Amino acid sequence: MSSDARPIGVFDSGMGGLTVLSAMEARLPAERFFYLGDTARLPYGTKSAATVEAYALAATRLLIAEGVKMVVVACNTASAVALERLTRELAPVPVIGVIEPGARAGVAATRNNHIAVIATEGTVKGGAYVRAIHALSGDIDVVQQPCQVFVALAEEGWTDSEVTRTAAKRYLGPLFRGASAPDTLVLGCTHFPVLAAAIRGVIGTGVAMVDSAATTAAAVADALAAQGMGVAESGAHGAPTRGAPTSGARTRFLATDSPERFARVGEIFLGRPIAASDVELVDLRSLP
Amino acid sequence: MSSDARPIGVFDSGMGGLTVLSAMEARLPAERFFYLGDTARLPYGTKSAATVEAYALAATRLLIAEGVKMVVVACNTASAVALERLTRELAPVPVIGVIEPGARAGVAATRNNHIAVIATEGTVKGGAYVRAIHALSGDIDVVQQPCQVFVALAEEGWTDSEVTRTAAKRYLGPLFRGASAPDTLVLGCTHFPVLAAAIRGVIGTGVAMVDSAATTAAAVADALAAQGMGVAESGAHGAPTRGAPTSGARTRFLATDSPERFARVGEIFLGRPIAASDVELVDLRSLP
């Protein structure tokens, strides 16, 4: 049995992708992770496709240089606009985005063939979820709603405050009114899972909520198994391994700006404390 | 009488500085302006001082290359952390920030020597308003409150919505309770003037609200007069002028990303429409 001990690279514009990391840590207990948040240039969600592509490429190249075996683009905006180019340029290292797993889970969940997708402005504008859903099933109605303020509310830690409930009502109330309303809501931004309770309060219990963190973790597990790249649980006890085992923490954190803020805000999304001293600062401007 | 027809450079991380531009356009009807929004890297308010300083320096150098006679840093975060370095590196072109004018107006307004400053995380952390106020009057109590969500609310155009009123209550309610509460509120972020109605609803009519857009416009007018750098109203009719007069619009807009979003969101802050075709896209990565 093969055992590939190299870490899995996880890339996001900032801290939202930590919801995806958290789901992967739970799902893949034998794997190590190398998380890079491009906090010097966040958010990606309000920026143009060309800019996001350039940023994502520079950032993921750093992960490749660190010897990761796979790159998970834990950012909906970057997945939406840059996945094709990243896949091409980072080959042969496999690249997995969050859009396709989320679209697949949404299609599996809907009964009335009506799906709502909430995301950043950039993801909505790019239309990647609409394309991904229609590639799986052409007769599904997809309605998109940009929810840019949700990003700030999540980063402020106002995960279930009156402010967030009021914003959720404003964004989602009109969408989920009437008999022909969507029966499925795809959270198309990695920030949004932490606002799930406030969102649930508006859409009610009858709507399926698809969280791309959990669906992406499942897709990564499948890809590792299919390509024989997983860590065998017994790998440390004799099976051949690739990559140097690390001592210490199972997950390394890198940020392109302010480790202190990464640690403070990141805790909201990761669901466990991060010490600022465990976050390494990298300067992407120093890269080629 | 001298008449310097060169434009005034105005720099911000994005669109918030358009509140300052608007105040300057009203106050200085004979001047031309060259506004640069570093939208590819916004927001500055959540980033480290070193990163903001590097970004601001690259961006303002572009304004210098375009031949502006003065640089107005219409961004509180950049003014808070980078003004000293910009002043040094851009000399002999004078540089004016928004902090000192806002602090001066706050000190002039307070009667009970208690001022509240609301701003981005970066501005609060840097403490520049506290230092600027204490440099003017050492016995004033200054309380700071970061209001990061206000930035997203302003950019969403939710200027007086229930969401914004609820957020204002959460941020400001506790600050303005009790007999010893501040009697003056400095809006220490150029986004915040568009939220003035919602903020006023929480703090009540007895508190003076200082808007750094208006105070900075006054400071620029003073500096132009003091240095003999203003455009004489009669300049076009024979007085000696420096700089090439332009045909067409009085204000040029440059953005480092997405002219479409700059125009759409910018309208909220400028208070008049901007055509996306009037916004030039520049790539700061191409600069030295």
Side-chain angles (χ1 to χ4, degrees):
Chain A
M1 177 178 181
S2 76
S3 190
D4 187 338
R6 290 176 298 164
I8 295 171
V10 187
F11 161 65
D12 180 37
S13 59
M15 287 74 81
L18 292 168
T19 59
V20 180
L21 175 67
S22 174
M24 289 192 293
E25 285 182 339
R27 173 96 188 204
L28 300 161
E31 297 290 340
R32 291 183 300 127
F33 299 94
F34 196 148
Y35 184 99
L36 169 62
D38 189 10
T39 47
R41 305 189 290 198
L42 69 78
Y44 285 4
T46 54
K47 286 163 193 160
S48 71
T51 294
V52 169
E53 194 175 274
Y55 288 175
L57 196 57
T60 51
R61 276 184 177 141
L62 178 70
L63 290 173
I64 298 294
E66 292 283 339
V68 301
K69 62 183 170 186
M70 174 180 283
V71 170
V72 178
V73 183
C75 169
N76 281 268
T77 307
S79 295
V81 304
L83 196 66
E84 196 180 325
R85 178 137 182 236
L86 294 177
T87 302
R88 196 168 64 237
E89 303 236 2
L90 305 184
V93 175
V95 178
I96 292 183
V98 290
I99 304 274
E100 209 282 335
R104 191 169 293 278
V107 169
T110 187
R111 293 290 164 264
N112 72 353
N113 282 355
H114 194 180
I115 298 176
V117 177
I118 58 173
T120 63
E121 286 178 17
T123 301
V124 165
K125 199 170 165 192
Y129 272 103
V130 180
R131 283 194 303 279
I133 290 169
H134 285 162
L136 295 164
S137 174
D139 60 352
I140 291 182
D141 275 346
V142 186
V143 56
Q144 298 189 100
Q145 171 66 49
C147 295
Q148 198 59 47
V149 168
F150 277 175
V151 176
L153 293 168
E155 293 197 352
E156 194 73 329
W158 291 358
T159 51
D160 193 22
S161 74
E162 191 191 344
V163 183
T164 303
R165 287 190 294 271
T166 309
K169 207 183 300 172
R170 174 151 180 173
Y171 278 136
L172 303 176
L175 270 185
F176 286 90
R177 236 169 249 149
S180 62
D183 70 350
T184 301
L185 174 66
V186 175
L187 306 186
C189 172
T190 55
H191 281 68
F192 296 174
V194 302
L195 308 179
I199 291 169
R200 178 62 76 194
V202 174
I203 65 174
T205 52
V207 173
M209 202 188 307
V210 171
D211 166 348
S212 53
T215 56
T216 301
V220 169
D222 290 349
L224 289 173
Q227 304 188 34
M229 292 176 84
V231 173
E233 297 279 342
S234 59
H237 305 292
T241 59
R242 293 173 63 192
T246 52
S247 58
R250 191 184 154 202
T251 298
R252 273 178 70 194
F253 298 102
L254 268 87
T256 56
D257 197 16
S258 184
E260 181 277 334
R261 185 171 195 269
F262 182 96
R264 176 169 52 80
V265 178
E267 181 173 341
I268 300 166
F269 299 102
L270 189 59
R272 61 176 166 85
I274 305 171
S277 55
D278 287 344
V279 182
E280 299 163 53
L281 179 65
V282 290
D283 186 352
L284 282 184
R285 285 165 300 184
S286 68
L287 295 178
Chain B
M1 175 177 182
S2 77
S3 188
D4 187 339
R6 290 176 299 164
I8 296 170
V10 187
F11 161 65
D12 180 37
S13 59
M15 287 74 81
L18 292 168
T19 59
V20 181
L21 175 67
S22 174
M24 289 192 292
E25 284 182 340
R27 173 94 187 207
L28 301 161
E31 296 290 341
R32 291 184 301 126
F33 299 93
F34 196 147
Y35 184 98
L36 170 61
D38 190 10
T39 48
R41 304 190 291 197
L42 69 77
Y44 285 5
T46 54
K47 287 164 193 158
S48 71
T51 293
V52 168
E53 193 175 273
Y55 288 175
L57 196 58
T60 49
R61 276 183 178 142
L62 177 71
L63 290 173
I64 299 294
E66 292 283 339
V68 301
K69 62 184 171 186
M70 174 180 284
V71 170
V72 179
V73 182
C75 170
N76 280 269
T77 307
S79 295
V81 304
L83 196 67
E84 195 180 323
R85 177 135 181 238
L86 294 177
T87 301
R88 195 169 64 239
E89 303 235 3
L90 305 184
V93 175
V95 178
I96 292 183
V98 290
I99 304 275
E100 209 281 335
R104 190 169 293 278
V107 170
T110 187
R111 294 290 163 264
N112 72 353
N113 282 355
H114 194 180
I115 298 177
V117 177
I118 58 173
T120 62
E121 286 178 16
T123 301
V124 165
K125 199 170 167 193
Y129 272 102
V130 179
R131 284 194 302 279
I133 290 168
H134 284 162
L136 295 163
S137 175
D139 60 353
I140 291 182
D141 274 347
V142 186
V143 57
Q144 298 190 99
Q145 171 65 49
C147 295
Q148 198 59 46
V149 169
F150 277 175
V151 176
L153 293 169
E155 294 197 352
E156 194 73 329
W158 291 358
T159 50
D160 193 21
S161 74
E162 191 191 343
V163 183
T164 303
R165 287 190 294 271
T166 309
K169 207 182 302 173
R170 174 152 180 172
Y171 277 136
L172 303 176
L175 270 185
F176 285 90
R177 236 170 251 149
S180 63
D183 69 349
T184 300
L185 174 66
V186 175
L187 305 186
C189 172
T190 55
H191 281 68
F192 296 174
V194 302
L195 308 179
I199 292 169
R200 178 62 75 194
V202 174
I203 65 175
T205 53
V207 174
M209 201 188 306
V210 171
D211 165 349
S212 54
T215 56
T216 301
V220 169
D222 290 348
L224 289 173
Q227 305 187 33
M229 291 176 85
V231 173
E233 298 277 342
S234 59
H237 307 292
T241 59
R242 291 174 64 193
T246 53
S247 59
R250 192 185 154 203
T251 298
R252 273 178 71 194
F253 297 103
L254 269 87
T256 56
D257 196 17
S258 184
E260 180 277 334
R261 185 171 196 268
F262 182 95
R264 176 170 53 81
V265 178
E267 182 174 340
I268 300 166
F269 300 101
L270 190 58
R272 61 176 166 85
I274 305 172
S277 55
D278 287 344
V279 182
E280 299 163 53
L281 180 66
V282 290
D283 185 352
L284 281 184
R285 285 164 300 184
S286 68
L287 295 179

